[in-house]
Amino acid sequence: MLARLKAIFLMLWPWVVCLMLTGPWLIPAAAHISGHGHRWVDILAQFTGPALVGSILASLLVMLMKRPSLMVMAFGALLLAAGAFLPQIAPPRGTPERGAPVLTVYSANLHAENADVEAVGASIRAARPDIVILIEVSPAVFAARQQILADHPYQRASETIVPPGSRGSVIIASRYPLSAVDAPQDQLSALHALADTPLGPLHLVGVHLTRPWPFQYQWGQILQAEMLANRLEGVTEPILVAGDFNTVSSARIGRQIKAQTGLTPAPAWPGTWPTGLPSWLGISIDHQWRSDELVFLSRQIGKRTGSDHYPVVTRITRARPHPPR
């Protein structure tokens, strides 16, 4: 009897180890692939990026076991994890118009208690942006905005000074003239401005969605995404929306924004949060979204600002017009 149990153990233990190494990383992938919008499923779908990294490491460990059947199992799990992450890193890119101007857009959640003015200024200067969109701007950074944004003389702000502990101001700054856009009185933390750029009129929106359930009430993000769509309804010029969405672009809220606004996100890797981890281990909850008239030529993360979020830096241009049918 003992000999038989020992034989069974020797036969099964490699499979058990392989399952323990690869199985946990399949949970976020399965949550994404299911497309289910339930709050428990959605919170798991936020971690497809780290799950892909974990699946790669697990596959390398399984390779050390030198068992072909286990390697097939591990690489199958790796393919599922990669497929679940693909919508974040490879959204539709569009086709750029040849010879069209190129603009650099910098967006960041600065954290409402971050008073590191020097780090914020250095991060923005390093990116050399044409347009800057900042959310959760602390009173200290807001007070130094003219110094930090010296190369961006045209500025709009959601409010002048905010009390300590609040979510901070939203600032849109540009090298090109800005005009205010009327916004409804709703519960969305956002600022809307119209820029007169070399690409033509460009609607700029800085937005901050609330944290997801279970950190906030479960309908918060859903309602705010609807408010964002309502604000953009009827806009016919190109649109760029940037900020902290507190969700990855391929999860429930990202899919809702895509469906209700028609906007397309920039690629979302490396991750933007938290800065306590290497960016390749983080998740991208800070995004820029474009309308079909624009194309993202590149996307990268910027230098640290003292916040727990990395900035997002993109290069945008005009999309090639579709030929008339």
Side-chain angles (χ1 to χ4, degrees), residues 257-278:
I257 292 172
K258 174 65 176 176
Q260 294 182 343
T261 68
L263 301 179
T264 300
W269 193 86
T272 62
W273 178 89
T275 54
L277 293 175

Side-chain angles (χ1 to χ4, degrees), residues 43-287:
I43 202 69
L44 292 172
Q46 306 296 324
F47 299 97
T48 51
L52 176 58
V53 175
S55 189
I56 292 172
L57 296 176
S59 297
L60 293 175
L61 291 174
V62 171
M63 288 178 62
L64 297 177
M65 300 171 72
K66 298 181 178 180
R67 298 192 177 215
S69 57
L70 299 183
M71 291 169 62
V72 169
M73 178 179 173
F75 287 134
L78 176 58
L79 287 176
L80 286 174
F85 191 48
L86 187 63
Q88 288 185 54
I89 61 175
R93 302 187 71 91
T95 303
E97 179 182 315
R98 184 174 298 178
V102 176
L103 303 181
T104 300
V105 181
Y106 175 104
S107 59
N109 178 334
L110 298 183
H111 197 286
E113 297 179 1
N114 175 24
D116 196 339
V117 172
E118 183 176 346
V120 173
S123 178
I124 294 174
R125 289 191 298 273
R128 302 177 65 184
D130 300 291
I131 294 168
V132 178
I133 300 175
L134 306 174
I135 66 169
E136 276 207 43
V137 180
S138 69
V141 173
F142 191 92
R145 66 191 182 281
Q146 299 304 331
Q147 167 195 339
I148 293 170
L149 299 168
D151 295 331
H152 303 84
Y154 304 99
Q155 300 176 16
R156 306 294 303 182
S158 61
E159 52 191 80
T160 53
I161 294 295
V162 293
S166 74
R167 296 178 68 185
S169 300
V170 180
I171 295 177
I172 297 177
S174 171
R175 298 183 189 272
Y176 313 108
L178 292 174
S179 56
V181 176
D182 292 335
Q185 297 296 317
D186 56 25
Q187 299 301 308
L188 183 64
S189 176
L191 179 66
H192 189 167
L194 179 63
D196 183 12
T197 76
L199 295 175
L202 176 59
H203 283 263
L204 302 170
V205 181
V207 65
H208 190 186
L209 268 59
T210 189
R211 292 184 297 173
W213 182 91
F215 305 102
Q216 300 288 340
Y217 67 105
Q218 67 184 71
W219 297 105
Q221 289 184 323
I222 295 174
L223 294 174
Q224 290 169 5
E226 291 177 354
M227 293 172 195
L228 175 62
N230 291 337
R231 290 193 181 206
L232 298 177
E233 188 174 0
V235 174
T236 56
E237 294 91 356
I239 301 169
L240 188 136
V241 179
D244 177 6
F245 293 81
N246 272 305
T247 180
V248 298
S249 59
S250 61
R252 176 184 62 187
I253 299 303
R255 296 195 302 268
Q256 179 184 343
I257 292 172
K258 174 65 176 176
Q260 294 182 343
T261 68
L263 301 179
T264 300
W269 193 86
T272 62
W273 178 89
T275 54
L277 293 175
S279 58
W280 53 274
L281 276 177
I283 62 176
S284 287
I285 60 176
D286 303 88
H287 305 286

Side-chain angles (χ1 to χ4, degrees), residues 288-308:
Q288 293 184 20
W289 294 73
R290 62 167 178 88
S291 59
D292 290 341
E293 299 88 353
L294 302 172
V295 171
F296 288 116
L297 296 175
S298 65
R299 179 270 192 194
Q300 60 185 14
I301 58 172
K303 292 181 62 175
R304 296 186 183 190
T305 63
S307 170
D308 57 343

